[in-house]
């Protein structure tokens, strides 16, 4: 009986541990407001690392945000260290005080976002070009607003539930 208890206890502890939730940050500051942060021009610097932590790409992003009613349109112009350029246009709708949904041409379905305090969590499937084909990968983005208007973003990229890499981005408004 005692032996079974020792086998069950670690499993119970693992099940009891839950992943981070946006509401965990409800009382944190500075408060992140997605619309006001991205209104106007923003600049970002980022890297992509594979699942082993090997740096694969570096890039900058120039972003222009326009608000019309309850919709934020973000035009993101990417420039990669190897000279490649691309653009993504997000249309993000505020659903209520904490929830958002977003669409872009290379997003499969609808991105779901939730924000509390200094944090925002985005979850979506992105269609990425890969070796002449496209590959659907899942993004789990966590954004954290820091003092001095610095926004940190860590995105875990996965396929079939397995981590394939991580994107790290730092944003700052151009004001």
């Amino acid at each position: 009986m005692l032996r079974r208890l020792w086998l069950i206890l670690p499993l119970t502890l693992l099940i009891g541990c839950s992943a981070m939730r946006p509401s965990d940050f409800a009382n944190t500051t500075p408060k992140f407001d997605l619309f006001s942060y991205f209104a106007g021009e923003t600049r970002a610097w980022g890297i992509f690392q594979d699942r082993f932590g090997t740096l694969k790409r570096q890039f900058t992003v120039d972003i222009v945000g326009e608000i019309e009613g309850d919709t934020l349109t973000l035009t993101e112009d990417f420039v990669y260290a190897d000279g490649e350029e691309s653009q993504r246009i997000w249309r993000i709708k505020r659903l209520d005080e904490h929830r958002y949904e977003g669409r872009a041409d290379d997003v499969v379905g609808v991105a779901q976002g939730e924000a509390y305090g200094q944090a925002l969590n985005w979850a979506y499937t992105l269609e990425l070009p890969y070796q002449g084909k496209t590959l659907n990968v899942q993004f789990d983005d966590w954004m954290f607003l820091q003092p001095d208007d610095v926004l940190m973003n860590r995105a875990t990229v996965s396929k079939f539930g397995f981590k394939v890499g991580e994107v790290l981005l730092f944003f700052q408004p151009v004001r």
Side-chain angles (χ1 to χ4, degrees), residues 20-33 97-98 114-121 142-147 150-152:
M20 197 164 49
R21 297 179 313 258
S23 58
D24 294 341
F25 299 92
N27 297 317
T28 61
T29 58
K31 185 173 175 17
F32 177 55
D33 180 277
E97 182 183 357
H98 300 288
E114 192 173 2
Y116 284 86
Q118 74 178 121
L120 172 91
N121 179 228
W142 280 93
M143 298 179 176
F144 298 95
L145 183 59
Q146 302 299 303
V150 173
L151 181 64
M152 297 170 39

Side-chain angles (χ1 to χ4, degrees), residues 114-170:
E114 192 173 2
Y116 284 86
Q118 74 178 121
L120 172 91
N121 179 228
W122 269 116
Y124 55 95
T125 299
L126 191 66
E127 199 174 70
L128 285 178
Y130 181 72
Q131 296 181 350
K133 300 177 185 178
T134 57
L135 192 66
N136 288 351
V137 293
Q138 289 67 49
F139 273 70
D140 182 21
D141 277 27
W142 280 93
M143 298 179 176
F144 298 95
L145 183 59
Q146 302 299 303
D148 301 321
D149 267 348
V150 173
L151 181 64
M152 297 170 39
N153 182 10
R154 183 190 73 218
T156 302
V157 184
S158 61
K159 178 80 175 158
F160 302 120
F162 296 99
K163 181 178 175 178
V164 296
E166 188 171 78
V167 177
L168 299 172
L169 275 161
F170 295 88

Side-chain angles (χ1 to χ4, degrees), residues 11-91:
L11 181 59
T12 305
L13 289 173
L14 283 175
I15 292 171
C17 296
S18 62
M20 197 164 49
R21 297 179 313 258
S23 58
D24 294 341
F25 299 92
N27 297 317
T28 61
T29 58
K31 185 173 175 17
F32 177 55
D33 180 277
L34 180 66
F35 279 39
S36 64
Y37 187 85
F38 283 107
E41 295 180 30
T42 307
R43 187 103 203 252
W45 301 263
I47 61 171
F48 173 75
Q49 299 171 289
D50 68 15
R51 66 181 172 199
F52 305 109
T54 305
L55 180 64
K56 293 296 186 177
R57 294 201 92 176
Q58 297 180 62
F59 56 93
T60 58
V61 190
D62 288 312
I63 305 163
V64 175
E66 299 176 39
I67 301 170
E68 189 172 319
D70 63 354
T71 301
L72 169 65
T73 301
L74 294 178
T75 302
E76 301 177 331
D77 291 312
F78 292 80
V79 177
Y80 296 87
D82 63 6
E84 181 185 345
E85 295 182 13
S86 67
Q87 184 180 72
R88 177 176 299 118
I89 299 174
W90 281 99
R91 287 167 194 81

